[in-house]
Amino acid sequence: MGNLTATRPPQPWTAPTASDPVAATLRLPGSKSMTARALVLSALAAGPSTLARPLRARDTELMAAGLRAMGAHVSISDDERWLVRPHPLVGPAHVDVGLAGTVMRFVPPVAGLADGPVTFDGDPYVRTRPLGPLVGALRSLGVRIDVTGTGSLPLTVFGTGGVTGGEVVIDASVSSQFVSALLLAAPRFDRGVVVRHVGPPVPSAPHLRMTVRMLRAAGAAVDDSTPDVWTVEPGPLTGRGWEIEPDLSGAVPFFAAALVTGGEVTLQGWPHSSAQPVEQLRSLLQQMGGEVTLSTNGLTVRGTGVVHGLTADLSDVSELTPALTALAMLADSPSVFTGVGHIRGHETDRLTALTREFTALGADVTEAPDGLEIRPRPLRGGVFRTYHDHRMAHAAAVAGLAVPGIELDDVGCTSKTMPEFPALWSAMVTGKS
């Protein structure tokens, strides 16, 4: 698997400009969110599990490596089918979280179940990503954690082979992953868990629904009938076969290409009943001028070549903000996006980064505390900095469809969730595989 923490040399890349409408049928890698959750649930199950068509990328390889470091058997040698055999979790162990929010948040509750100390650290920027509410919640549930840095990481979880569990109050307004992290490990806690969120609304609600859905599929008893309260009963998790859906967030730049160029893009292998926010995406793309259909061929988006601006609360689908921002730059009317203040704590401060980089290309964009206001005007080429953030790279690629000469300073950051992105994107735009 190699050294996942090694420094990558930047890979400059000029985003290809489309001379014709794109016409592509793609099979994209699996959902990062589903792959991460399936790995955790499988490592905590009573028997073996398989993941069909998982995402192989830096984030998910780090998740597999972290679980393996604590004793789980995780085989990812077959790209199409990963195998997880649970074993007693033990320390000492070290977990490299890279820049992955899923690893830095989902694995510490698991480490509480290990017998022995487990240390966590990652890339320099990850030390600024929010983790405090989760650390406080785990401590209140009986887990000993020492934070040795000035920020959220590095830290050490001193596992004792079990977690008492019980009721906990948490402010998860910064990240729904705080709640998901507690819920995923909770069936193995002695008393399960009751998580009560107190504070502003929890963002990315579809990700929480995915967590609950996957827990139930693994045999857990979960009650989410009361708003902002989640109850998970203690009990065994069942090993099973997981069918990983294509990654919707990763597909959005490709769908955006259909709108920008007046083309058509089909994502193959899309299920009719999805754990991801397909309806929210359908509504947003339709408002921006696209036509979205689901058939036996897959999920298809068609464009007219004219993009419309829109006003939208993106709090449930905040991962889509960078690509939608790029679309809005090319629209025929202004756009206002709100509800995404929490993405300042993602791989980078995405609101500031998007404002800075698009302004440098001539855009008229205003940064608000929880969103962006965009007034379209002609853009020019230039260097677009990605800040090691895969979604920033996606935004630049979308803009580059209509604006010649946009050069990404580091397209290699897309390996976080889709190592194939540069090749897939170039093939779609040029029509050459």
Side-chain angles (χ1 to χ4, degrees), residues 259 283-291 302-309:
L259 271 65
S283 174
L284 291 165
L285 292 182
Q286 287 178 339
Q287 291 178 69
M288 298 191 86
E291 177 189 338
R302 299 179 184 86
T304 63
V306 177
V307 181
H308 305 310

Side-chain angles (χ1 to χ4, degrees), residues 80 98 105 122-123 126 151 182 190 203 226 259 261 268 270 324 376 382 402:
E80 292 295 308
R105 293 168 182 151
D123 295 0
V126 84
L182 295 169
D190 298 342
T226 302
L259 271 65
T261 68
Q268 290 182 314
W270 194 261
L324 294 180

Side-chain angles (χ1 to χ4, degrees), residues 341-427:
H342 60 283
I343 70 173
R344 295 184 183 281
H346 282 201
E347 283 79 348
T348 188
D349 178 339
R350 286 179 173 166
L351 296 182
T352 296
L354 287 165
T355 301
R356 182 182 296 144
E357 296 311 307
F358 277 113
T359 297
L361 301 183
D364 182 2
V365 53
T366 302
E367 179 183 350
D370 76 333
L372 299 171
E373 298 179 18
I374 299 147
R375 293 160 292 277
R377 66 185 189 188
L379 302 181
R380 58 179 175 268
V383 174
F384 191 102
R385 291 177 295 173
T386 63
Y387 305 87
H388 308 296
D389 186 339
H390 55 148
R391 304 295 182 207
M392 290 291 293
H394 295 165
V398 171
L401 291 166
V403 182
I406 293 181
E407 182 178 303
L408 286 69
D409 70 337
D410 179 17
V411 77
C413 64
T414 56
S415 65
K416 176 179 169 66
T417 50
M418 193 186 300
E420 311 93 329
F421 177 80
L424 285 171
W425 189 262
S426 296

Side-chain angles (χ1 to χ4, degrees), residues 31-338:
S31 161
K32 178 187 74 169
S33 299
M34 289 191 73
T35 301
R37 286 162 174 77
L39 283 170
V40 172
L41 291 170
S42 299
L44 297 176
S49 298
T50 56
L51 282 66
R53 292 175 295 280
L55 171 67
R56 177 184 290 279
R58 188 182 186 222
D59 279 16
T60 54
E61 288 188 346
L62 286 168
M63 179 69 83
L67 296 169
R68 191 184 297 117
M70 290 186 288
H73 173 85
V74 186
S75 173
I76 61 173
S77 57
D78 183 345
D79 284 345
E80 292 295 308
R81 191 177 184 85
W82 291 1
L83 173 65
V84 182
R85 285 195 175 94
H87 287 276
L89 301 174
V90 296
H94 176 70
V95 177
D96 175 7
V97 310
L99 203 53
T102 48
V103 182
M104 73 179 290
R105 293 168 182 151
F106 290 0
V107 182
V110 177
L113 296 164
D115 187 3
V118 182
T119 60
F120 291 79
D121 203 0
D123 295 0
Y125 181 78
V126 84
R127 296 181 177 184
T128 68
R129 297 195 70 177
L131 194 62
L134 178 62
V135 171
L138 287 171
R139 284 172 171 162
S140 73
L141 294 172
V143 180
R144 180 186 161 200
I145 301 177
D146 284 358
V147 179
T148 55
T150 56
S152 60
L153 293 174
L155 64 77
T156 301
V157 176
F158 292 92
T160 58
V163 175
T164 302
E167 292 202 24
V168 64
V169 175
I170 188 171
D171 181 351
S173 57
V174 170
S175 176
S176 65
Q177 289 179 350
F178 296 156
V179 177
S180 287
L182 295 169
L183 301 185
L184 288 167
R188 292 282 303 275
F189 294 175
D190 298 342
R191 294 165 49 198
V193 80
V194 178
V195 179
R196 300 181 186 276
H197 163 70
V198 176
V202 180
S204 305
H207 284 100
L208 276 174
R209 291 194 289 271
M210 177 188 290
T211 297
V212 170
R213 176 173 171 164
M214 293 182 70
L215 273 162
R216 288 174 176 156
V222 187
D223 182 353
D224 63 345
S225 58
T226 302
D228 290 334
V229 180
W230 298 265
T231 301
V232 180
E233 300 294 337
L237 292 169
T238 305
R240 52 160 290 157
W242 295 101
E243 297 286 334
I244 307 299
E245 299 176 9
D247 193 294
L248 189 65
S249 296
V252 171
F254 295 89
F255 291 152
L259 271 65
V260 172
T261 68
E264 178 175 319
V265 173
T266 296
L267 176 59
Q268 290 182 314
W270 194 261
H272 276 268
S273 176
S274 173
Q276 300 178 85
V278 177
E279 288 309 311
Q280 290 98 319
L281 175 63
R282 181 198 299 265
S283 174
L284 291 165
L285 292 182
Q286 287 178 339
Q287 291 178 69
M288 298 191 86
E291 177 189 338
V292 185
T293 56
L294 179 61
S295 68
T296 54
N297 294 328
L299 191 64
T300 299
V301 177
R302 299 179 184 86
T304 63
V306 177
V307 181
H308 305 310
L310 82 161
T311 296
D313 180 341
L314 301 181
S315 56
D316 273 359
V317 288
S318 59
E319 282 285 312
L320 312 187
T321 305
L324 294 180
T325 296
L327 267 180
M329 296 288 170
L330 307 175
D332 61 1
S333 59
S335 295
V336 178
F337 297 144
T338 58

